[in-house]
Coordinates of all heavy atoms in Angstrom, one line a residue:
Chain X
M77 N 44.0 144.1 118.0 CA 45.0 143.2 117.3 C 46.4 143.7 117.6 O 47.4 143.4 117.0 CB 44.8 143.0 115.9 CG 43.8 141.9 115.6 SD 44.1 140.4 116.4 CE 44.7 139.3 115.3
D79 N 48.3 143.0 120.1 CA 49.1 141.9 120.6 C 49.1 140.7 119.9 O 49.0 139.6 120.4 CB 48.8 141.7 122.2 CG 47.3 141.3 122.2 OD1 46.6 141.4 121.3 OD2 46.9 140.9 123.4
Y80 N 49.1 140.9 118.5 CA 49.2 139.6 117.6 C 50.4 138.7 118.0 O 50.1 137.6 118.2 CB 49.2 140.1 116.2 CG 49.2 139.0 115.2 CD1 48.0 138.3 115.0 CD2 50.3 138.7 114.4 CE1 48.0 137.3 114.1 CE2 50.3 137.6 113.6 CZ 49.1 136.9 113.4 OH 49.1 135.9 112.5
I81 N 51.4 139.4 118.1 CA 52.5 138.7 118.8 C 52.8 139.2 120.1 O 52.8 140.4 120.3 CB 53.8 138.9 117.9 CG1 53.6 138.3 116.4 CG2 55.0 138.2 118.6 CD1 54.7 138.7 115.5
N82 N 52.8 138.2 121.0 CA 52.8 138.7 122.5 C 53.9 138.0 123.2 O 54.0 136.7 123.2 CB 51.4 138.5 123.2 CG 51.4 139.0 124.5 OD1 52.3 139.8 124.8 ND2 50.2 138.9 125.1
S143 N 53.4 134.1 122.4 CA 52.2 133.6 121.6 C 52.1 134.4 120.4 O 52.4 135.6 120.2 CB 51.0 133.6 122.5 OG 50.6 135.0 122.7
V144 N 51.6 133.7 119.4 CA 51.3 134.3 118.0 C 49.8 134.1 117.7 O 49.4 132.9 117.8 CB 52.1 133.8 117.0 CG1 51.6 134.4 115.6 CG2 53.6 134.2 117.2
A145 N 49.0 135.1 117.6 CA 47.5 135.0 117.4 C 46.9 134.1 118.4 O 46.1 133.4 118.2 CB 47.3 134.3 115.9
G146 N 47.3 134.4 119.7 CA 46.7 133.8 120.8 C 47.2 132.4 121.1 O 46.9 131.8 122.1
E147 N 48.1 131.8 120.1 CA 48.5 130.5 120.4 C 49.9 130.5 120.9 O 50.8 131.1 120.4 CB 48.4 129.7 119.1 CG 47.1 128.9 118.9 CD 47.1 128.1 117.7 OE1 47.9 127.1 117.7 OE2 46.5 128.4 116.8

Side-chain angles (χ1 to χ4, degrees):
Chain X
M77 272 317 248
D79 57 350
Y80 182 70
I81 298 174
N82 192 4
S143 64
V144 172
E147 267 185 67

